[in-house]
Amino acid sequence: MTLNRLGTLADPNSFQDPLDLRNTPDEVAFEMLYRMALIRRAEEQIAEMVLAGEIKCPCHFAIGQEAPAVGISMHLRATDRGFGAHRSHSHYLASGGSVDKLFAEVLGRATGASHGMGGSMHLFGEGTAFAGSVPIVAGTVPLAVGAALAAKLDGSGDVGIAYFGDGACEEGIVHESLNLAATMKLPVIFLVENNLYSSHLDINLRQPSDRVARFGEAHGMATEVVDGNDVVKMASVAGRLIERARAGEGPGFIEAVTYRWLGHVGPDANIDVGLRRSAEEVSAWKKRDPIARLEAALLARGVEQGDINALKDNAERAAKDARKKAYDAPWPKETDLLDFVYASGGAK
């Protein structure tokens, strides 16, 4: 049997054109551009801080793959519940997580998203659709299914979102979660950011096909494969699947084909490890930049370059201001170590 493959979707020399904005109003395009720019500028600042030795926790960057998180977040509401893994700065910020609290968290300060106790990989977006991240690969996928079950029982119309990568698809719990969600028609979206590598290992050396959507199809759920560097298409696909999930029509599975410009962990490109990733490959994927393609589409529509620059400057200023505030923020108290481990009050 021959398995379907991604074909040109996995080719960095394809899909480099400006995005199609025919059905996207200016204000929506600007919102998506700002959110992607904020993620990139924030991660660039954090990368500088890692290189300077100021951040001690491991940091996994999503530079280059901002579009999936932003596309889906355009359809989320604060009562939805999203769960990420180790590479979740993008999910947190796209969902409306505070950039100030992100910088404080990676510096271990008390004002951080997790009170300085979690670092880069344990983020909590209080008051947003991002319920949290945990670095155990695939460990949060069943949590999103559980959140979807609760939403269904409550009749709230909310959805659960499971953010994970192609490597997590090799964990058994993902398939158990897909089966349960499909069997119970739960309102959950499985968003796979397929960046073609699990840590340093090429997907073509790990799986018989580079197309992981086959797992969603095998469970009979609505499945879409999309250029993950096209935020407009991402938003369109996510909107359709979220709407049907809220309406009680069951789970959805999105495979967003994308690429991280940096390595598995840290600010270097990881071209000296693994078996295929090369400087030439990274350079080619940068020509498929999700931010540059949206910017080119706006310019082609007649938007002034100055308006785009002002938006990107605002994103950079927000990241720099957050960095400065984090340096000045207090450290947690020693007693916080126990206060945040044990619950108080007890169940009644």
Side-chain angles (χ1 to χ4, degrees):
M1 181 177 71
T2 301
L3 295 172
N4 290 333
R5 297 182 60 83
L6 291 173
T8 55
L9 273 176
D11 176 9
N13 296 308
S14 301
F15 300 95
Q16 295 180 353
D17 295 334
L19 306 185
D20 182 350
L21 292 179
R22 279 177 292 183
N23 298 314
T24 306
D26 276 359
E27 60 270 24
V28 175
F30 270 104
E31 178 63 29
M32 293 193 291
L33 184 62
Y34 179 78
R35 292 192 197 191
M36 290 198 294
L38 179 61
I39 293 167
R40 182 162 301 181
R41 297 296 180 254
E43 289 210 312
E44 287 173 343
Q45 291 285 315
I46 292 171
E48 285 182 11
M49 295 160 75
V50 171
L51 287 171
E54 297 168 353
I55 293 176
K56 306 301 181 184
C57 64
C59 291
H60 302 72
F61 297 100
I63 293 175
Q65 57 182 66
E66 296 89 351
V70 171
I72 198 166
S73 72
M74 299 299 290
H75 301 282
L76 298 181
R77 53 198 196 196
T79 49
D80 294 325
R81 290 290 176 265
F83 296 86
H86 50 283
R87 196 182 315 283
S88 277
H89 298 165
S90 58
H91 311 137
Y92 168 87
L93 289 175
S95 299
S98 161
V99 66
D100 291 347
K101 291 185 176 181
L102 172 62
F103 276 81
E105 188 58 41
V106 296
L107 280 175
R109 304 306 169 102
T111 55
S114 298
H115 302 291
M117 298 290 167
S120 168
M121 295 187 284
H122 300 83
L123 300 174
F124 168 51
E126 185 176 9
T128 76
F130 191 70
S133 61
V134 175
I136 298 172
V137 173
T140 52
V141 175
L143 300 185
V145 174
L149 173 59
K152 181 174 182 175
L153 293 174
D154 290 343
S156 66
D158 293 334
V159 296
I161 307 291
Y163 300 98
F164 54 105
D166 49 292
C169 292
E170 293 150 23
E171 296 287 342
I173 191 64
V174 168
H175 303 276
E176 293 175 22
S177 299
L178 290 170
N179 180 64
L180 185 66
T183 302
M184 300 186 71
K185 293 187 69 172
L186 298 180
V188 57
I189 303 298
F190 299 94
L191 173 55
V192 180
E193 293 167 305
N194 184 355
N195 61 27
L196 310 175
Y197 286 91
S198 175
S199 185
H200 310 109
L201 196 56
D202 186 341
I203 192 171
N204 291 303
L205 298 172
R206 305 176 349 247
Q207 298 190 25
S209 168
D210 60 358
R211 184 177 180 277
V212 300
R214 65 189 192 279
F215 300 129
E217 293 162 351
H219 288 279
M221 63 182 63
T223 300
E224 300 266 6
V225 183
V226 61
D227 173 11
N229 283 18
D230 184 334
V231 70
V232 175
K233 285 185 178 175
M234 265 303 311
S236 175
V237 165
R240 283 199 302 275
L241 295 189
I242 289 173
E243 183 178 357
R244 66 183 297 284
R246 292 197 200 280
E249 297 180 40
F253 188 103
I254 302 172
E255 177 177 3
V257 183
T258 185
Y259 193 86
R260 52 176 161 78
W261 294 5
L262 302 181
H264 168 60
V265 58
D268 69 277
N270 270 182
I271 55 175
D272 56 343
V273 294
L275 297 174
R276 187 171 71 87
R277 191 175 163 99
S278 65
E280 291 75 19
E281 181 182 275
V282 174
S283 177
W285 271 99
K286 288 184 177 179
K287 295 177 182 175
R288 198 165 146 178
D289 182 354
I291 295 177
R293 290 169 68 197
L294 177 55
E295 184 176 337
L298 285 166
L299 291 173
R301 174 182 272 184
V303 171
E304 296 291 333
Q305 181 71 63
D307 292 337
I308 294 174
N309 291 343
L311 179 149
K312 293 164 71 174
D313 288 345
N314 287 341
E316 181 156 7
R317 191 177 306 111
K320 286 183 174 177
D321 287 349
R323 180 177 179 176
K324 185 176 185 304
K325 289 177 188 173
Y327 287 137
D328 296 335
W331 297 102
K333 296 177 293 186
E334 287 189 15
T335 54
D336 289 344
L337 288 170
L338 296 180
D339 290 344
F340 294 132
V341 171
Y342 300 105
S344 60
K348 295 182 179 177

